[in-house]
């Protein structure tokens, strides 16, 4: 971190944001905390307080106990469906609507709250909690005629499985040990490399290669700001650290005066 916050860090940052040609917000689970979605590592009530992330958010974990891991994801999906975007999500979406093309979002989050708030330029690094896909690539996906074995068809079950071959459905998220989608990561790298301002909101900076995007942005010349109520592993990459929450600070930075 290179800057000692001046007397009016928010006002000074608002001036920078007004002058910026391209702003990127890099968000993590803390972005959704004030919507009631548990974060991964906050010790008190974090999702991981009760489970081993490597155990459950991984292919090996899922294969070891598909019903248990599927139920955990269903519980998380229900929480997201019952939640609403918070003032932080809404401030970013409203700013983008007022200034088309100026602000992009790169998110580690697998919820849909940025999108439900109205943000349209959202790069999802870790997939989509509310979607699922086949665990095995369907061997008959291209089945064209009845003579061939039929393509996989979802039947019931926990998790749902293929009625023909027993293939399982799995959440369409990126598990630990899985590569990030090439297109998403490439787009995210390009976005942060082109940013004048990078706001790092609600992430502990512990998950890679996503966290590496902040290093890349700094090296490419972005002014890096961390927004978080707690210290993070990315604070040393920041020019400025604003201590506070997404729903409180983002409206003060992005809402019109
Ligand atoms: C991979 C989907 C190649 C699943 C998730 C170096 C390079 C490359 C890989 C690694 C590496 N070092 C280690 C690895 C391996 C691993 C990794 O990073 N492990 C960590 C734990 C050390 N990375 C991977 O496996 C990645 N793949 O590298 O592929 C490869 C291939 C084979 C073998 C090896 C490597 C894949 C990572 C993706 C994992 N999937 N999610 C699911 O959700 O079930 S990650 C998960 O963590 C979420 O997506 C989440 O967003 C993400 C990051 O966590 P945070 O968002 O930061 O959340 P956290 O709880 O940690 O922090 C919350 C923060 O919010 C806190 O700072 C808190 O203070 C703050 N906060 C709280 N309230 C508020 C707030 N902030 C603002 N306002 C508030 N109100």
């Amino acid at each position: 971190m290179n800057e000692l916050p001046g007397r009016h860090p928010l006002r000074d940052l608002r001036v920078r944001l007004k002058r910026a040609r391209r702003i990127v917000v890099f968000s993590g689970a803390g972005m959704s905390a004030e919507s009631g979605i548990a974060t991964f590592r906050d010790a008190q009530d974090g999702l991981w307080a009760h489970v081993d992330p490597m155990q459950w958010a991984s292919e090996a974990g899922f294969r070891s106990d598909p019903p248990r891991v599927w139920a955990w994801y269903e519980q998380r999906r229900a929480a997201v469906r019952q939640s609403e975007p918070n003032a932080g999500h809404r401030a970013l979406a409203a700013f983008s609507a007022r200034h088309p093309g100026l602000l992009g979002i790169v998110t580690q989050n697998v919820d849909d709250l940025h999108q439900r708030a109205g943000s349209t330029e959202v790069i999802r690094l870790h997939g989509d909690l509310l979607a699922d896909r086949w665990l095995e690539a369907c061997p008959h996906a291209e089945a064209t005629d009845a003579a061939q074995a039929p393509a996989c068809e979802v039947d019931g079950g926990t998790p749902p499985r293929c009625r023909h071959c027993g293939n399982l459905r799995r959440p369409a998220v990126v598990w630990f040990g899985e590569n990030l989608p090439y297109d998403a990561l490439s787009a995210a790298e390009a976005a942060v490399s082109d940013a004048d301002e990078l706001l790092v909101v609600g992430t502990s900076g512990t998950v890679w290669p996503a966290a590496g995007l902040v290093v890349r942005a700094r090296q490419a010349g972005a002014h890096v700001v961390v927004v978080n109520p707690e210290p993070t592993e990315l604070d040393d990459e920041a020019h400025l650290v604003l201590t506070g929450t997404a729903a409180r600070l983002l409206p003060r930075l992005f809402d019109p005066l």
Side-chain angles (χ1 to χ4, degrees):
M1 184 169 64
N2 295 8
E3 286 167 17
L4 291 177
R7 281 161 35 85
H8 305 286
L10 290 181
R11 187 193 64 189
D12 298 346
L13 182 53
R14 281 182 70 96
V15 170
R16 293 188 72 104
L17 293 171
K18 263 200 187 0
R19 291 184 184 145
R21 176 191 47 82
R22 185 74 176 141
I23 303 166
V24 171
V25 169
F26 174 62
S27 65
M31 181 78 224
S32 301
E34 285 151 296
S35 297
I37 305 293
T39 67
F40 290 80
R41 292 166 189 83
D42 284 356
Q44 295 77 3
D45 59 357
L47 275 176
W48 307 111
H50 312 297
V51 302
D52 169 4
M54 297 307 166
Q55 173 66 30
W56 288 26
S58 69
E59 182 175 335
F62 179 75
R63 286 183 186 276
S64 73
D65 192 341
R68 182 177 68 160
V69 176
W70 180 263
W72 179 55
Y73 278 94
E74 285 293 281
Q75 184 191 359
R76 291 172 61 193
R77 287 171 169 173
V80 169
R81 291 192 182 104
Q82 285 152 22
S83 68
E84 291 299 326
N86 61 53
H89 296 107
R90 291 198 302 272
L92 296 179
F95 182 87
S96 294
R98 293 195 304 274
H99 307 282
L102 180 51
L103 184 144
I105 296 173
V106 173
T107 190
Q108 300 172 88
N109 295 343
V110 292
D111 63 49
D112 62 346
L113 294 176
H114 280 303
Q115 295 85 344
R116 276 165 51 197
S119 290
T120 51
E121 221 191 299
V122 182
I123 298 170
R124 308 173 90 142
L125 294 172
H126 294 156
D128 179 358
L129 178 68
L130 301 181
D132 52 50
R133 62 180 175 87
W134 293 115
L135 179 61
E136 315 291 354
C138 173
H140 314 301
E142 308 307 322
T144 48
D145 62 56
Q148 287 175 307
C152 286
E153 259 184 276
V154 181
D155 200 354
T158 306
R161 60 187 58 228
C162 168
R163 71 178 69 244
H164 306 298
C165 68
N167 196 1
L168 296 179
R169 297 297 281 177
R170 54 156 286 179
V173 297
V174 178
W175 275 330
F176 288 101
E178 292 184 327
N179 287 312
L180 276 58
Y182 174 80
D183 293 350
L185 186 55
S186 306
E189 288 169 345
V192 300
S193 301
D194 181 44
D196 301 320
E197 291 291 328
L198 178 78
L199 276 76
V200 182
V201 183
T203 180
S204 60
T206 51
V207 172
W208 288 74
L213 293 167
V214 179
V215 178
R216 177 185 286 263
R218 171 98 194 217
Q219 287 169 346
H223 179 255
V224 177
V225 180
V226 165
V227 176
N228 201 306
E230 305 287 337
T232 83
E233 294 189 15
L234 294 167
D235 289 1
D236 290 346
E237 290 300 328
H239 295 94
L240 177 65
V241 173
L242 296 177
T243 301
T245 71
R248 288 214 193 98
L249 287 186
L250 293 183
R252 294 178 64 188
L253 289 171
F254 287 97
D255 283 357
L257 283 178

